[in-house]
Amino acid sequence: MSEYSAWFECINGCPQRFSLFEIIYRCPSCGDLLDVQHDMDALRRRSAAAWMKLFDERYRRNDFPYGSGVWGKKEWVVPFIANENIVSTYEGGTNLLWAERYGKMLGVEDLWVKQCGNSHTGSFKDLGMTVLVSVVKQMIAEGQNIAAIACASTGDTSAALANYCAAAGIPAVVLLPRNKVSPAQLVQPIANGALVVSLDTDFDGCMALVQEITKEKTVYLANSMNSLRLEGQKTVAIELVQQFDWEVPDWVVIPGGNLGNVSALGKGFLMMKELGLIQKLPRIAVAQAANANPLYLSYLNNFRTFTPVQAKKTLASAIQIGNPVSYKRAVKVLQQFDGVVEQATESELADEAALADRTGMFNCPHTGVALAVFRKLVERKVIRSNQRVVVISTAHGLKFSEQKTAYHLGKIPDVQPKYANHPLELPPDARKVVDAIRRFADKVRLMEA
Ligand SMILES: *Cc1c(COP(=O)(O)O)cnc(C)c1O
Ligand SMILES: [Zn+2]
């Protein structure tokens, strides 16, 4: 047995506690969500310096499962799970990229992009899914009757769920809104052998349905209303501070849809502060697509009211969500982190992703939303030029090749691409190619000047 413990409890503070191995997603007293709570007194018995040393010793090493960015922090995640039940793909440990040229363009030289999409299934969803699937594997090993794990998804959750389930040998079921996920995202759960159900509705419709079918307790719910996922995702906060040798940045900018990830980010920082690893908190900016902006609208009236919206189509398909499950969690985080919410239009997100690509990134549209919001906050001097900023990049750009190609060909409706780069068609003639190179080099020089 581990000397540390953790349990589910209600986000509104209702008194009951539940085992992490119990099949329960909502508080039986008030019906609201549950969070994982840790025995902080037990964790405090180890000093902050000792935790940092332990995490540093494990980081990206080979002693299974501790080399994983998530399981290297096992005591803070699910301390008592048996290592033999952990389903890990060595997730986390992603590059914290110094965005040198892009940052200079905007006058912020201490700009970093946390490349969470450089991971096993190409998005940060791996960080949470390793925890959820491992817990279910242990539940099954202990004799609980679970036939399958199911999720509603805008693409990346289903890719991660299908993959970790395939690794564990557990059946996975994914509910996707028809024609609203990219082909790359659709083929991932197909390749991993999940039951892929394509539904004539949007994400919010899939979410309602998955809650319905998981009332049948033999189908376990994998959406982020299940806070096991957030326990894994919170390690991104710990990891990025660790990558700065335990210094806290001034700002973290993060795209938000269902708002699980910003809730997890906040949780990671708060836990570090409570245990003395850090002394201050960063400010947090949540970036939303203007076409799916319920948090932004609520922010405009100081979170006094919240009205779900009908999310409109956006290139940032993973955040095309009108009724975010973790709204309350996210508001709590924003209030504690002096947070702001800003939005980006389709043109803004596509152009910003393309501009940053020209400085050596390859951005997904959600990262485009975060970068466009970063620009706005710099221009408004909310973010100041001498501050250290981390932008959370949530998925790999290769998942969105089709829309990135369409951008460069000028084929995205209502978007006039500022940074389109057309392939040039030429006869195989050396003279003509040399001329083209000369014109191209002049153009690049001009842009740099
Ligand atoms: C899931 C996802 C998001 C949004 O995270 P939430 O927890 O739903 O706010 C953003 N970007 C990508 C690529 C995602 O897969
Ligand atoms: Zn409650």
Side-chain angles (χ1 to χ4, degrees):
M1 267 311 280
S2 166
E3 59 187 299
Y4 306 109
S5 68
W7 55 88
F8 286 127
E9 68 181 35
C10 172
I11 65 170
N12 298 325
C14 299
Q16 255 179 305
R17 292 178 177 183
F18 308 92
S19 158
L20 299 187
F21 299 123
E22 199 169 318
I23 302 177
I24 183 164
Y25 317 111
R26 287 190 178 276
C27 171
S29 312
C30 74
D32 217 326
L33 301 182
L34 303 171
D35 270 345
V36 174
Q37 180 57 48
H38 290 263
D39 179 349
M40 298 301 282
D41 290 334
L43 291 170
R44 237 187 305 273
R45 285 200 284 273
R46 196 189 287 239
S47 72
W51 282 121
M52 292 188 277
K53 182 162 176 290
L54 179 69
F55 294 163
D56 283 341
E57 280 166 2
R58 289 169 171 173
Y59 189 63
R60 296 184 63 125
R61 305 286 302 184
N62 295 314
D63 180 21
F64 182 89
Y66 302 104
S68 149
V70 172
W71 297 107
K73 282 93 184 166
K74 184 182 177 191
E75 294 82 356
W76 292 27
V77 176
V78 184
F80 40 75
I81 193 165
N83 283 354
E84 74 216 36
N85 290 321
I86 289 180
V87 186
S88 170
T89 62
Y90 206 73
E91 49 288 309
T94 53
N95 185 16
L96 184 58
L97 178 85
W98 181 30
E100 184 183 5
R101 285 189 61 224
Y102 177 73
K104 276 200 179 118
M105 281 179 186
L106 279 84
V108 178
E109 304 210 354
D110 207 355
L111 174 66
W112 303 76
V113 179
K114 179 66 173 155
Q115 299 280 59
C116 299
N118 291 355
S119 94
H120 193 65
T121 74
S123 86
F124 75 82
K125 298 295 199 293
D126 290 350
L127 301 174
M129 212 51 88
T130 181
V131 176
L132 184 135
V133 174
S134 299
V135 166
V136 175
K137 189 172 172 196
Q138 178 139 337
M139 289 161 77
I140 292 171
E142 287 172 357
Q144 289 206 54
N145 177 21
I146 296 174
I149 311 181
C151 73
S153 174
T154 53
D156 293 326
T157 299
S158 54
L161 176 65
N163 195 283
Y164 281 85
C165 280
I170 299 171
V173 180
V174 310
L175 307 186
L176 297 170
R178 194 145 66 88
N179 296 330
K180 291 192 180 74
V181 309
S182 81
Q185 290 169 318
L186 180 61
V187 75
Q188 289 183 286
I190 289 176
N192 288 135
L195 174 63
V196 179
V197 187
S198 183
L199 297 159
D200 227 339
T201 177
D202 58 5
F203 171 79
D204 296 295
C206 293
M207 191 65 223
L209 198 67
V210 79
Q211 294 188 54
E212 202 54 42
I213 63 174
T214 51
K215 281 187 186 147
E216 174 60 58
K217 287 202 171 172
T218 57
V219 181
Y220 190 85
L221 174 70
N223 279 96
S224 62
M225 62 181 284
N226 184 329
S227 56
L228 289 172
R229 298 243 321 267
L230 305 193
E231 287 309 287
Q233 288 172 209
K234 83 184 178 195
T235 60
V236 80
I238 307 167
E239 185 171 294
L240 72 86
V241 169
Q242 182 175 15
Q243 285 172 304
F244 287 128
D245 288 331
W246 303 100
E247 270 185 37
V248 180
D250 297 302
W251 280 94
V252 181
V253 184
I254 184 169
N258 226 1
L259 306 178
N261 210 23
V262 61
S263 307
L265 184 79
K267 199 167 183 202
F269 279 111
L270 289 172
M271 206 159 166
M272 280 188 284
K273 185 145 181 281
E274 212 177 323
L275 293 172
L277 282 71
I278 60 174
Q279 314 309 324
K280 68 161 199 172
L281 298 174
R283 293 186 70 186
I284 291 180
V286 176
Q288 290 214 294
N291 281 354
N293 62 354
L295 183 71
Y296 175 71
L297 295 176
S298 174
Y299 168 74
L300 291 182
N301 68 25
N302 264 319
F303 304 121
R304 274 191 299 273
T305 58
F306 173 72
T307 317
V309 302
Q310 183 73 44
K312 296 197 279 286
K313 192 172 164 52
T314 167
L315 294 167
S317 48
I319 56 176
Q320 188 177 328
I321 294 173
N323 190 13
V325 163
S326 290
Y327 169 78
K328 268 198 197 173
R329 286 176 175 147
V331 170
K332 262 194 221 166
V333 164
L334 286 167
Q335 287 168 339
Q336 289 173 91
F337 287 74
D338 194 8
V340 300
V341 186
E342 188 44 89
Q343 62 176 2
T345 66
E346 297 301 287
S347 287
E348 287 167 344
L349 76 88
D351 281 333
E352 207 62 41
L355 175 63
D357 284 358
R358 289 201 167 184
T359 66
M361 291 181 238
F362 191 71
N363 292 299
C364 79
H366 321 86
T367 308
V369 172
L371 293 171
V373 159
F374 165 68
R375 169 186 291 278
K376 288 184 183 185
L377 296 176
V378 170
E379 286 172 356
R380 289 215 312 265
K381 300 196 164 49
V382 178
I383 293 178
R384 291 191 306 276
S385 59
N386 61 346
Q387 291 187 306
R388 172 174 281 178
V389 182
V390 176
V391 172
I392 304 290
S393 173
T394 46
H396 201 294
L398 284 172
K399 287 202 187 204
F400 299 88
S401 309
E402 291 81 8
Q403 61 160 266
K404 289 175 78 72
T405 305
Y407 173 88
H408 287 289
L409 297 176
K411 288 189 174 158
I412 297 179
D414 305 323
V415 172
Q416 304 293 331
K418 273 199 211 163
Y419 306 105
N421 184 19
H422 294 261
L424 193 60
E425 285 179 15
L426 285 180
D429 172 332
R431 191 65 253 148
K432 295 215 158 89
V433 175
V434 169
D435 283 347
I437 293 172
R438 204 164 284 142
R439 283 195 300 276
F440 169 70
D442 286 345
K443 199 172 100 188
V444 171
R445 230 184 337 267
L446 267 175
M447 275 181 353
E448 288 298 306

